[in-house]
Amino acid sequence: MKEKAKIKLGISIGDLNGIGGEVALKTFEDSRMLDFCTPVIFASNKTISHLKSTLQLDIQFTGIPEPSKAIDGKINVVNVWKESPEIRFGVEEKQAGTYAIKSLRAAVNALKKDDIDVLVTAPINKKNIQDKDYGFPGHTDYLAQQLEGDSLMFMVTDKLKVGLLTDHVAVKDVADAITPELIRKKVMLIQQSLKMDFGIRKPRIAVLGINPHSGDDGVIGQEDEQVMKPTIKALFNEGHLVYGPYAADGFFGSATYLQFDGVVAAYHDQGLIPFKTLSFGKGVNYTAGLSKVRTSPDHGTALDIAGKGVADESSFKEAVYMALQIFKNREEYRELTANPLKKQKLKR
Ligand SMILES: NC(=O)c1ccc[n+]([C@@H]2O[C@H](COP(=O)([O-])OP(=O)(O)OC[C@H]3O[C@@H](n4cnc5c(N)ncnc54)[C@H](O)[C@@H]3O)[C@@H](O)[C@H]2O)c1
Ligand SMILES: N[C@H](C(=O)O)[C@H](O)COP(=O)(O)O
């Protein structure tokens, strides 16, 4: 029987002065990882050689002329640039951001052309990536523009999956941004992702309130009364297993989150502080809702430890596993939903 082709996993290298290259390469120091996928790193042979020797990494890689030529069983490197940009670990500077975006653009182009199947992004610095051609606060917004679908910032582990109503939005703009339409759209994206990407048939979803104590019946702000409650009730009445709004502090403090398959947080830090506190190093940042799969570790560029060889690659490894699992789950979901009768097993 013909062996199924390995999933091609693209990697954008992130900020060159940060820990992205280190955690990505450390992940593939364990050659067993090549049994699960074929990695394709978007950077250059010289840059990867430099990282390898400076950080004393035990990897072998192969330069390939283009992503479609990736070889199974190898760590493939595409030459996105020919020059050797200086790597100055720990330094926040424009040049590192420029190369991060070159790598990301090349990887996303390959993803769109199906030269790679999934993408794992190493962290970028939001300030030094800004220029006239790239005006996004992070990967999520760029991918939303480049790929089909509506994006959702979804932070995931086995036990906790937190999706955001508003992601890279300034706190002063959060309340105005949260409308019944937005809540409905994001809740539906979370529900669909839990079904299609994580194989949960009837997901239970909790929504967190915007204000302290979900507003205490209108004593502290009106948003929970006027926007959150009626929208959640309407969704529930339509048959969706959506509950809330829950006061965020007690919800996490009492571990109520364990009773739900997904949690909807109103804004970035409401969701990401508990998420990272509970699972830093094991969590994955997944961009749900789009036509292609992109994951990322749960940390940033960590300039304070860059180049020291002490960065922990666990979350990057989880991001790799999760991208592969979601890709497979989506294939299975497509098969099942394309012809639901075909797969049913008759019980006699
Ligand atoms: N996916 C992404 O591109 C992404 C994600 C988060 C933050 N960022 C960006 O990264 C930059 C720095 O952000 P930050 O300082 O808030 O967060 P950070 O995650 O980079 O660092 C926070 C702390 O955690 C430590 N840390 C992070 N990853 C680690 C690892 N793998 N092993 C050991 N220690 C680790 C750091 O040393 C630091 O002390 C910002 O520009 C931010 O926007 C990017
Ligand atoms: N909020 C994300 C986190 O803390 O992990 C991070 O900034 C990355 O965002 P993008 O995936 O949009 O780059």
Side-chain angles (χ1 to χ4, degrees):
M1 209 169 70
K2 204 179 154 203
E3 205 183 310
K4 224 178 161 189
K6 290 215 163 59
I7 299 174
K8 292 197 172 38
L9 180 127
I11 296 172
S12 57
I13 198 72
D15 189 288
L16 292 182
N17 295 351
I19 61 167
E22 178 179 345
V23 293
L25 296 177
K26 274 181 171 172
T27 294
F28 289 96
E29 272 188 318
D30 181 346
S31 61
R32 289 173 299 180
M33 292 299 287
L34 301 178
D35 295 341
F36 307 127
C37 63
T38 300
V40 182
I41 303 177
F42 291 82
S44 81
N45 289 340
K46 286 178 187 164
T47 298
I48 299 301
S49 283
H50 179 79
L51 289 173
K52 178 184 159 170
S53 61
T54 318
L55 296 163
Q56 299 181 335
L57 299 168
D58 183 16
I59 54 150
Q60 302 301 324
F61 66 88
T62 303
I64 52 168
E66 50 184 276
S68 61
K69 301 277 190 294
I71 304 163
D72 285 349
K74 307 273 185 200
I75 300 171
N76 298 273
V77 176
V78 180
N79 273 316
V80 180
W81 51 83
K82 293 197 175 71
E83 63 280 18
S84 306
E86 192 185 348
I87 297 181
R88 301 201 299 153
F89 288 119
V91 177
E92 187 176 332
E93 62 181 352
K94 186 83 195 154
Q95 174 178 280
T98 303
Y99 283 96
I101 295 307
K102 282 184 190 206
S103 169
L104 178 64
R105 282 192 193 283
V108 171
N109 283 339
L111 192 63
K112 283 160 67 171
K113 291 200 300 191
D114 289 327
D115 286 343
I116 55 172
D117 299 307
V118 296
L119 172 63
V120 181
T121 59
I124 51 181
N125 173 297
K126 291 181 187 32
K127 188 174 167 200
N128 69 20
I129 53 169
Q130 301 302 322
D131 71 21
K132 63 175 179 27
D133 299 324
Y134 192 97
F136 304 96
H139 295 92
T140 309
D141 309 78
Y142 176 63
L143 291 163
Q145 188 227 44
Q146 292 290 313
L147 303 172
E148 288 159 37
D150 287 318
S151 69
L152 167 78
M153 191 179 287
F154 207 12
M155 306 298 294
V156 287
T157 64
D158 277 355
K159 286 210 173 81
L160 176 60
K161 297 181 177 57
V162 184
L164 303 185
L165 290 183
T166 58
D167 42 50
H168 289 142
V169 173
V171 168
K172 72 174 173 49
D173 300 325
V174 164
D176 284 346
I178 297 180
T179 59
E181 296 72 35
L182 182 82
I183 299 169
R184 181 173 280 276
K185 185 166 96 176
K186 295 288 183 177
V187 168
M188 290 295 117
L189 283 172
I190 290 178
Q191 186 186 59
Q192 180 62 7
S193 176
L194 290 169
K195 289 182 183 178
M196 180 172 79
D197 301 329
F198 297 99
I200 301 168
R201 230 158 48 88
K202 287 189 177 170
R204 286 166 51 81
I205 297 171
V207 182
L208 304 178
I210 305 176
N211 292 300
H213 315 295
S214 293
D216 265 336
D217 294 328
V219 177
I220 313 171
Q222 294 301 316
E223 293 82 359
D224 292 284
E225 288 303 306
Q226 292 177 1
V227 185
M228 284 291 199
K229 282 186 186 173
T231 311
I232 294 166
K233 193 170 169 201
L235 286 165
F236 185 82
N237 289 341
E238 288 164 28
H240 306 291
L241 302 180
V242 181
Y243 306 87
Y246 291 93
D249 53 355
F251 181 83
F252 286 106
S254 63
T256 304
Y257 69 89
L258 292 173
Q259 296 168 22
F260 293 92
D261 301 299
V263 180
V264 184
Y267 54 94
H268 186 278
D269 283 11
Q270 184 187 57
L272 267 63
I273 291 174
F275 180 85
K276 292 193 183 183
T277 305
L278 290 164
S279 41
F280 200 58
K282 297 186 288 290
V284 175
N285 171 355
Y286 167 43
T287 310
L290 298 179
S291 48
K292 304 282 181 180
V293 176
R294 172 264 175 164
T295 62
S296 183
D298 61 6
H299 57 78
T301 51
L303 293 181
D304 54 331
I305 57 165
K308 296 180 179 161
V310 297
D312 181 351
E313 74 276 23
S314 310
S315 176
F316 196 94
K317 204 174 254 186
E318 285 301 321
V320 168
Y321 289 142
M322 193 161 291
L324 300 176
Q325 192 58 55
I326 293 172
F327 184 80
K328 287 181 193 159
N329 287 350
R330 279 190 177 190
E331 274 189 338
E332 202 176 298
Y333 184 85
R334 265 194 294 271
E335 271 174 38
L336 280 168
T337 48
N339 189 351
L341 291 178
K342 205 174 138 194
K343 284 265 172 179
Q344 277 177 7
K345 282 187 187 141
L346 285 178
K347 281 193 187 137
R348 293 185 191 276

